[in-house]
Amino acid sequence: EERTMTVIEKNGYHDSVYLNAAKIFQGIHREKRKDRLLVRYGDDSVAPMLTFKDEYSRRVSYELAFNALKYQDLLEEILLDSCVYPCQSIPDESTSLLVVMLCDLQDRKFQAREIFDEEEPVAEVRKIEHYLYSFRTKLAAALARYRIKHGALSVEYVLPETIRKQEERASALPLCAWVNTFKISLQDVFRDLQKAAFTKVESVSDFKQYTYCMDQHCHDVLLFPSSLKEELLNLDLFADCKLVLQ
């Protein structure tokens, strides 16, 4: 039986991820008042058709879309201040793709994306990518001006304090994963985790690097340190959906 292993891409995503993230963002972006409407996103009255090649692609597509939503004001100001937007060759229907790709580009410190040989190229994605990358110096300068204007040490500090505190609390919470007992028993999960160098401890207060514990109330839920998210998703247990991250 074939399955797709989770691949963590440090230098960008597959074209299909950007396309799906743009479709998601199109439906969730904040509409501005008409007197403040400077960036136009086209028509979003039709629900988008989303096609994901695997669970990882689904997860990172939604993460990228919601990151773009979180920083929408910042990203729009960068586009406007750098004069990258508006552009006659980019229709309003592609603005969401422009924004989510800019979100990822600034997260990569405006470095080039790694292109994966096995992926199917999407012409619209490659066009937007080339356009943004050709203006990377102006975009980086616009970001720097925005940070100076708002006295922000990093882009995280341009967010309202309430949101930053929520994110800090969320990052400190343990990761929850439930055992898919249709595919594996609890004892087999323990065995596989031990083979992967994980140690079972009594509670979250005993957490170190590669540790986990049982939830006190649900016998089929395991808790892991939040710092292990990417490593956990690379385990066969998660790739085979024997453990499911919540």
Side-chain angles (χ1 to χ4, degrees):
E1 180 184 356
E2 288 190 9
R3 64 170 173 78
T4 304
M5 282 291 293
T6 299
V7 178
I8 305 300
E9 292 131 352
K10 298 297 185 183
N11 299 307
Y13 306 109
H14 286 151
D15 288 12
S16 60
V17 169
Y18 295 112
L19 204 58
N20 281 322
K23 291 177 180 178
I24 297 166
F25 181 75
Q26 180 70 18
I28 63 174
H29 72 272
R30 292 189 303 276
E31 291 287 352
K32 305 292 178 66
R33 298 199 315 261
K34 288 187 177 180
D35 60 332
R36 297 182 57 203
L37 186 61
L38 299 175
V39 178
R40 301 182 182 277
Y41 289 93
D43 181 27
D44 59 357
S45 59
V46 179
M49 295 294 292
L50 301 174
T51 304
F52 304 102
K53 69 174 186 176
D54 55 29
E55 186 57 33
Y56 172 71
S57 296
R58 179 194 301 272
R59 181 174 62 84
V60 294
S61 295
Y62 275 96
E63 283 184 357
L64 181 54
F66 277 91
N67 272 337
L69 176 65
K70 186 168 62 175
Y71 293 106
Q72 182 179 333
D73 291 341
L74 165 65
L75 297 168
E76 290 179 353
E77 184 158 335
I78 291 174
L79 287 171
L80 293 167
D81 184 41
S82 63
C83 298
V84 169
Y85 180 92
C87 174
Q88 288 185 344
S89 63
I90 299 178
D92 290 349
E93 288 70 24
S94 296
T95 301
S96 286
L97 181 59
L98 185 72
V99 170
V100 298
M101 294 197 74
L102 173 58
C103 183
D104 181 59
L105 182 62
Q106 72 83 25
D107 196 42
R108 300 197 316 267
K109 312 300 182 186
F110 299 95
Q111 298 300 308
R113 173 175 68 121
E114 178 183 347
I115 301 297
F116 303 90
D117 294 334
E118 74 276 9
E119 74 170 301
E120 185 76 22
V122 178
E124 184 184 8
V125 171
R126 299 297 171 94
K127 174 185 174 182
I128 297 290
E129 177 177 41
H130 177 75
Y131 178 71
L132 284 172
Y133 194 68
S134 67
F135 288 100
R136 63 190 181 279
T137 303
K138 288 187 175 182
L139 291 166
L143 173 59
R145 286 192 294 272
Y146 189 97
R147 287 175 53 189
I148 292 170
K149 175 183 175 182
H150 293 273
L153 297 174
S154 65
V155 293
E156 289 80 10
Y157 283 90
V158 306
L159 296 172
E161 186 177 359
T162 52
I163 295 179
R164 282 194 283 116
K165 286 185 176 179
Q166 286 173 1
E167 293 197 332
E168 289 171 4
R169 286 196 294 269
S171 65
L173 292 174
L175 299 173
C176 297
W178 62 269
V179 179
N180 185 354
T181 53
F182 290 103
K183 289 192 171 186
I184 194 170
S185 69
L186 198 58
Q187 293 305 317
D188 285 341
V189 169
F190 295 158
R191 180 202 62 203
D192 289 355
L193 286 172
Q194 185 177 17
K195 287 181 180 179
F198 280 81
T199 302
K200 185 181 176 185
V201 296
E202 289 299 317
S203 69
V204 294
S205 60
D206 300 318
F207 275 174
K208 294 181 180 178
Q209 181 65 10
Y210 291 98
T211 53
Y212 72 96
C213 69
M214 300 287 295
D215 184 88
Q216 293 182 357
H217 306 287
C218 302
H219 73 280
D220 58 352
V221 173
L222 306 182
L223 305 177
F224 296 86
S226 59
S227 59
L228 297 179
K229 184 175 182 179
E230 300 299 344
E231 293 179 72
L232 288 172
L233 291 169
N234 271 326
L235 292 178
D236 289 348
L237 283 168
F238 286 90
D240 291 329
C241 295
K242 294 175 180 177
L243 275 179
V244 181
L245 195 65
Q246 296 300 295

